[in-house]
Amino acid sequence: MTFRPASVICRLGTESDDDLSTQWIDGRPVSTAEAVRAAAEHLAASRLPVLTGDFNDISAIRAGLRVAALAGGVVDHEGLEAIRPAIEAIRDAGIVMGAPAEIRRRADRVLVIGPDPFEGQDALFEQIFAVAPDIGARTKGKTREIVWLGASEPQRFAKASGEARSIGCPAAELTEAVGIVRAALAGRRFADGPFEPGGARALAGWLVDAGFGAVVFKADAFDAIGFEEIAGLVSDLNARTRATALPVFAGSAFGSAQAATWATGFPMRVSFGRGAPDHDMELFKADRLIGSGEAEAVLLVAAGEGRAGVSSDAATILLSTEEPPAGSSVKVAFRIGRPGVDHDQVALEPRFGSFVAHAASAPDPDAPSSAALILSMIADHLAEMAAEKGAAA
Amino acid sequence: MLTRLKGGHVVDPANGVNGVTDLYMKDGQLVSAPTEPLSADEAIDLSGHVVMAGAIDIHSHIAGGHVNTARLLLPEWHRAFSSRPGETALSRVGWTTEETGLRYAEMGFTTVVEPAMGPQAALHAHLELADIPIIDKATLVVLGNDDLLMSMIRDGESEAAIADYVAWTVASSRALGVKCINAGGSAAFKDNVRAFSLDDQVPDYGVSSRQIVKTLQKAVHDLKIPHPLHVHCNNLGVPGASSDAAEATIAASEGLPLHLAHIQFYGYGTEGKRGFSSEGRRLAALINANPDVTVDIGQVMFGQTVTISSDELRQFAGRAQASPKKSIIFDHEANGGGVVPMDYKATSFFNALQWAIGLELFLLIEDPSRVFFTTDHPNGAPFTTYPDIFALLMDREVRARWIEALPKGVAKWTSLPEITREYTLEEIAVMTRASPARLLGTSDRGHLGAGATADISVYRPSDDKAEMFGKAAYVFKDGRLVVKNGSVVARPYGRALTLKTEADKGMEARLDRYFDEAYGLSAQWFKVRGEALGRETPFREVSCL
């Protein structure tokens, strides 16, 4: 599979100007140029434009940030609220964290905490647990031991290379349980909490005796305190042995947050209303701004199925892989191609711990333009409008 | 369009020019003077100005996973974190991709090298670089803690096979060169080793740090990569052990070129009641005596910053000095790394001596073509402190004022007060233009001869060198005016300079199997394709020697 050059995508975009089947103004089919112009004008005229959605392609969030910067708008990601505790915990307290590839090869003991972090992440599970540790003087050739804290039974790990057991713990007591293990590690007094008598001390000892321990958990399953507690446990362990954390992120929010961080200094939510990017997790929450009526224009990127429905009193610009439903409040709509299917996609790959460029799996020259291309065209039009305004002034 | 840059004082040591002359540029390049000077379509009067090639920074952490993690970790230092402070601790840092390009350009820098790109984070780094406006960029890819290299050395594989692996890594990651960071140290740390020196062996592999450095040095040389192996030595920052590491690594160059990064962080001895003293004079003498070796400084300046490094072992140890008290450490395959905030206090004996050691090295290394101007941004200080460092190098009275303000007792532990040398404009041009271009193999820049890329910095002469170098009067990038009177007036996107090299097909097939079997990863994921970066011309290729 070859990666389709951006220049080819650009040409498709301009050629599709005469294609009236993929963009609409007030439900009326229009050319791409007309729709782009209308979208840019709505955003520019708005005192508070809000961009949100699923941004399943790093190219799309990069272009979206440029639109927001030029329009003085807010950028949010619909998955951000779920990972907000993780972001806040990481930046408040730090963490020692590892890549799945290194955990696969080196971790002789793995503590899994809380809800199944591998739900919907079979490839990641397979990557880590298909083999036994094979490097490291302290870990090579050992049978991997897995403890799942918070599960009634370790069935999920039946196919893992190694031995698994579980320690039951109600979800609401997981943070406390981790705190108890930290107390046991530090030699402080503690109550048994959800552990059987002696269980916490045994678990702490098991972790300390690891050659290279890994603590794996679902990143969005804990509040900030819970996340920080787990990071604290790993930090404590590293005073005596080696251990690393693997918070498993699902969806595109964390990747988009990283792109926003390099572009603005912040992981979203970001406003360009005062020119330079401002960051506030609550103030610039898209749902709140739309729900309260503060948003005067909304640009929604919806690359998933069943996502085209929009309800907002604000003038809405929709970029969707589906056609907008009849009678919706959408002012300007663009049908976009599916990232990774119709178009190439850059996304955070959990197994890699970094970004990967995926070539389109079913490239179709007749597919609608990508969200990134539409957003880039809107940004270009906004830049032209700003230049004309500057020249006139 | 032919443009005449008229009457400036041109300082172009690569071409032996240091005087008033005209320059001509056309289609983004400098061209020879036409037989009829008035035939130019446009003339810009630069009389009274100093004209140099665009400056080149060979070692500045401006992009990639660790840099971005530092941004994530430290939102409170960004100007706009809240509506309250206009000035925060890092408000002068070029913190975002956009600001990085703008702030560098305003000072007359037109090419910057990100020196620590992990192979697995290459796409991330290039995505960020693609978003940095104006300047050209380049990267050094990091090897030396990776399982495959250490296994190949242990198993006695041929130099040719190892060179093929290095070539594949450079080509896949679209790098310009290779860096080695605490060779073997991060791998040893994963086996719970907490101190690691040049002749220590990596557990499980049985190869020493020295073997790794020498192997990579030879591979880079054999591949005819212009930039010599860029080495971050063992034991960075450890009094005594750091200077020992630098000395041993300098001695290990053994007739082949070697570049030692941020040498200031290795200039620490153990004398005195605090167990911290300057080895600057001794290291400078060693460097002066070894023509195979080049160094950049990694100057410390006072103020809040953040350290970013793929030296996981040292960053983990550095957690104890974190200010504020938080850090992020990575256990990646190969190097890993860490982000640790640091506040260099002018009132601290240790930090003040670090500052002095950097300047000792700058001023005692005699050949300005072998010492390079860096703060190891942001590790020693943000790159936005460069104007002050130019002033410290070029004006001994400025130095004297800074020394006077140091904590009592520092002056007697450094030879800095006795050093009278002042860098000349020509030496500055050597250090920041001509030599970096030669070291990187980028012959199209660093000079103002015909055929060079028209990257040109123009300064208004001033006794206040910080003022002079802080805001360029004009900067041209590829012949286009991008800065005027210290302010950006245009924001074109530059390119990433990448080495023109190809991977061996046999190694390609081997690595497809290796990454799949060893890590459960696709080797294709390591490959950076320009199409993913969203720029018309993301790369410019640089030839091997």
Side-chain angles (χ1 to χ4, degrees):
Chain A
M1 189 65 64
T2 54
F3 214 90
R4 184 141 42 110
S7 55
V8 174
I9 297 172
C10 291
R11 280 204 300 278
L12 286 173
T14 51
E15 281 168 8
S16 67
D17 278 357
D18 297 323
D19 179 356
L20 304 183
S21 66
T22 57
Q23 52 279 319
W24 302 263
I25 298 175
D26 292 327
R28 178 175 56 89
V30 295
S31 69
T32 305
E34 284 178 273
V36 164
R37 190 183 315 119
E41 286 171 357
H42 278 301
L43 292 168
S46 165
R47 284 174 297 180
L48 181 54
V50 173
L51 282 74
T52 186
D54 53 17
F55 295 104
N56 279 335
D57 180 2
I58 292 301
S59 304
I61 189 70
R62 288 168 72 203
L65 286 159
R66 191 167 156 244
V67 169
L70 288 160
V74 164
V75 186
D76 192 3
H77 186 291
E78 66 181 20
L80 196 77
E81 192 63 18
I83 63 166
R84 175 177 169 175
I87 290 172
E88 292 185 336
I90 288 171
R91 67 187 183 187
D92 282 355
I95 191 169
V96 178
M97 60 194 295
E102 193 64 19
I103 291 169
R104 162 191 168 105
R105 299 203 67 184
R106 206 177 275 273
D108 57 336
R109 291 186 175 176
V110 178
L111 174 65
V112 180
I113 303 178
D116 183 0
F118 300 103
E119 187 182 4
Q121 304 257 20
D122 290 341
L124 179 65
F125 179 87
E126 173 81 10
Q127 181 197 19
I128 297 174
F129 294 106
V131 296
D134 71 330
I135 57 173
R138 290 151 41 101
T139 50
K140 187 177 186 174
K142 283 190 175 177
T143 299
R144 176 171 289 138
E145 297 174 43
I146 303 157
V147 170
W148 190 354
L149 175 61
S152 54
E153 46 81 24
Q155 190 57 34
R156 145 64 91 185
F157 294 92
K159 290 183 179 173
S161 169
E163 298 166 354
R165 62 190 169 93
S166 60
I167 299 174
C169 178
E173 295 178 38
L174 284 166
T175 300
E176 181 191 356
V178 174
I180 288 169
V181 175
R182 293 184 70 186
L185 270 175
R188 295 194 300 269
R189 295 179 61 187
F190 57 90
D192 286 325
F195 293 100
E196 292 177 358
R201 204 177 302 281
L203 183 58
W206 179 79
L207 287 165
V208 167
D209 290 341
F212 188 91
V215 179
V216 184
F217 59 104
K218 200 165 184 279
D220 61 5
F222 294 86
D223 61 14
I225 296 295
F227 194 109
E228 192 175 325
E229 195 70 41
I230 296 171
L233 169 65
V234 174
S235 181
D236 294 347
L237 287 167
N238 275 298
R240 294 155 73 174
T241 185
R242 283 310 330 278
T244 203
L246 177 62
V248 178
F249 289 90
S252 62
F254 196 54
S256 294
Q258 291 200 39
T261 302
W262 77 62
T264 70
F266 304 114
M268 292 189 280
R269 297 154 172 143
V270 174
S271 169
F272 292 89
R274 298 193 305 162
D278 277 330
H279 172 57
D280 193 306
M281 283 288 193
E282 203 56 41
L283 193 60
F284 305 132
K285 193 174 180 179
D287 285 352
R288 191 191 68 75
L289 292 170
I290 295 168
S292 68
E294 288 177 63
E296 287 193 342
V298 176
L299 188 153
L300 176 68
V301 177
E305 288 180 13
R307 298 284 326 288
V310 179
S311 87
S312 167
D313 293 336
T316 299
I317 299 147
L318 175 69
L319 279 66
S320 172
T321 49
E322 298 175 352
E323 286 186 20
S328 75
S329 63
V330 173
K331 191 77 187 164
V332 184
F334 297 87
R335 177 117 184 252
I336 54 172
R338 295 162 295 175
V341 180
D342 302 315
H343 299 291
D344 305 332
Q345 176 191 34
V346 176
L348 196 63
E349 166 55 56
R351 286 170 287 171
F352 202 40
S354 190
F355 293 102
V356 167
H358 298 289
S361 60
D364 176 0
D366 296 324
S369 299
S370 67
L373 178 61
I374 298 292
L375 290 165
S376 293
M377 290 193 286
I378 294 172
D380 289 344
H381 199 83
L382 283 165
E384 284 169 22
M385 290 169 69
E388 285 167 13
K389 195 174 169 186
Chain B
M1 184 172 78
L2 181 66
T3 302
R4 180 185 182 192
L5 302 175
K6 191 179 156 194
H9 176 179
V10 176
V11 183
D12 181 19
N15 292 300
V17 178
N18 189 355
V20 174
T21 187
D22 292 352
L23 296 172
Y24 292 85
M25 58 185 186
K26 185 178 183 182
D27 300 332
Q29 287 193 320
L30 284 144
V31 295
S32 301
T35 48
E36 175 47 64
L38 295 177
S39 65
D41 302 292
E42 176 191 37
I44 300 172
D45 185 3
L46 299 182
S47 42
H49 291 75
V50 171
V51 183
M52 296 183 180
I56 301 169
D57 189 339
I58 68 158
H59 191 115
S60 176
H61 298 276
I62 55 170
H66 293 163
V67 176
N68 213 36
T69 299
R71 296 185 184 110
L72 186 68
L73 182 66
L74 300 163
E76 62 268 42
W77 292 344
H78 196 60
R79 186 199 70 81
F81 179 60
S82 69
S83 57
R84 274 84 61 189
E87 284 287 322
T88 62
L90 285 183
S91 59
R92 290 179 59 231
V93 176
W95 202 231
T96 63
T97 45
E98 167 114 347
E99 286 174 85
T100 299
L102 305 189
R103 300 290 93 77
Y104 260 116
E106 286 165 1
M107 297 190 299
F109 280 73
T110 50
T111 304
V112 179
V113 178
E114 158 54 55
M117 176 178 70
Q120 85 290 348
L123 177 58
H124 182 160
H126 280 285
L127 284 165
E128 288 196 30
L129 294 177
D131 281 351
I132 295 176
I134 303 178
I135 59 174
D136 284 342
K137 293 78 61 169
T139 61
L140 305 180
V141 67
V142 179
L143 288 170
N145 278 282
D146 43 312
D147 167 67
L148 186 58
L149 178 70
M150 293 187 294
S151 299
M152 291 173 95
I153 297 171
R154 175 194 61 204
D155 298 342
E157 292 207 38
S158 68
E159 289 178 349
I162 289 172
D164 284 342
Y165 169 51
V166 173
W168 180 90
T169 308
V170 171
S172 298
S173 64
R174 304 304 300 247
L176 187 63
V178 180
K179 187 184 185 191
C180 178
I181 299 174
N182 191 2
S186 287
F189 176 61
K190 288 175 190 152
D191 248 318
N192 207 26
V193 171
R194 304 290 167 123
F196 194 73
S197 297
L198 191 63
D199 289 309
D200 289 341
Q201 291 190 340
V202 183
D204 189 29
Y205 295 92
V207 300
S208 70
S209 188
R210 180 188 298 274
Q211 282 176 282
I212 296 168
V213 171
K214 295 299 296 177
T215 301
L216 282 173
Q217 181 195 28
K218 183 75 168 45
V220 167
H221 183 263
D222 290 350
L223 288 167
K224 301 189 184 304
I225 295 174
H227 185 44
L229 181 66
H230 195 107
V231 181
H232 164 131
C233 302
N234 317 101
N235 286 315
L236 180 146
V238 182
S242 60
S243 56
D244 290 347
E247 182 176 1
T249 310
I250 289 168
S253 63
E254 296 172 329
L256 289 182
L258 207 57
H259 179 84
L260 305 192
H262 37 69
I263 193 73
Q264 176 277 134
F265 287 109
Y266 298 88
Y268 308 155
T270 57
E271 290 178 31
K273 64 182 179 185
R274 298 178 183 86
F276 190 70
S277 56
S278 171
E279 291 285 331
R281 186 171 283 277
R282 189 169 71 86
L283 278 191
L286 287 168
I287 293 158
N288 287 334
N290 191 328
D292 302 326
V293 169
T294 52
V295 298
D296 64 85
I297 296 298
Q299 177 66 33
V300 160
M301 297 291 276
F302 304 121
Q304 180 71 61
T305 191
V306 54
T307 64
I308 295 167
S309 176
S310 301
D311 186 345
E312 184 184 356
L313 171 57
R314 285 307 309 154
Q315 290 299 85
F316 180 81
R319 295 197 313 169
Q321 282 87 48
S323 177
K325 288 280 178 202
K326 55 183 180 179
S327 63
I328 296 178
I329 303 295
F330 289 109
D331 287 301
H332 284 155
E333 63 273 25
N335 260 80
V339 174
V340 181
M342 189 69 63
D343 187 4
Y344 295 109
K345 291 185 168 66
T347 53
S348 157
F349 172 87
F350 300 96
N351 298 157
L353 197 53
Q354 286 179 292
W355 172 85
I357 290 166
L359 291 175
E360 281 181 327
L361 286 158
F362 261 126
L363 294 160
L364 293 172
I365 297 172
E366 292 157 1
D367 181 354
S369 73
R370 291 205 290 125
V371 58
F372 294 86
F373 186 93
T374 70
T375 58
D376 187 17
H377 165 83
N379 292 327
F383 70 82
T384 45
T385 60
Y386 284 5
D388 283 334
I389 303 174
F390 283 122
L392 287 162
L393 297 179
M394 299 180 77
D395 188 336
R396 63 187 176 212
E397 289 182 11
V398 171
R399 281 205 300 275
R401 286 198 294 275
W402 281 60
I403 292 168
E404 184 67 25
L406 296 181
K408 204 175 168 184
V410 171
K412 78 173 184 180
W413 289 102
T414 168
S415 57
L416 190 60
E418 302 142 30
I419 302 172
T420 57
R421 180 180 173 190
E422 293 178 330
Y423 268 75
T424 64
L425 274 178
E426 186 163 14
E427 287 177 321
I428 292 292
V430 168
M431 180 167 62
T432 58
R433 274 81 174 172
S435 291
R438 197 161 55 237
L439 189 75
L440 298 171
T442 51
S443 56
D444 70 316
R445 59 198 66 208
H447 69 96
L448 297 170
T453 296
D455 291 354
I456 304 167
S457 304
V458 180
Y459 300 101
R460 265 187 206 93
S462 169
D463 289 339
D464 182 342
K465 302 303 181 202
E467 182 182 85
M468 175 177 168
F469 285 102
K471 288 190 177 297
Y474 302 95
V475 177
F476 299 90
K477 181 77 193 76
D478 295 303
R480 180 174 177 184
L481 182 66
V482 291
V483 171
K484 189 173 182 182
N485 294 325
S487 297
V488 169
V489 294
R491 308 178 180 200
Y493 282 96
R495 298 136 298 196
L497 308 176
T498 70
L499 200 65
K500 195 174 183 178
T501 184
E502 285 185 12
D504 172 77
K505 296 292 177 202
M507 181 54 65
E508 186 107 29
R510 175 177 173 178
L511 291 173
D512 281 345
R513 287 194 307 277
Y514 167 75
F515 283 114
D516 180 33
E517 291 169 7
Y519 288 107
L521 299 174
S522 166
Q524 300 305 309
W525 292 353
F526 290 82
K527 294 185 176 177
V528 177
R529 294 175 174 85
E531 295 83 0
L533 304 179
R535 297 279 170 241
E536 284 287 325
T537 314
F539 302 128
R540 176 182 280 186
E541 289 192 321
V542 174
S543 297
C544 287
L545 295 172

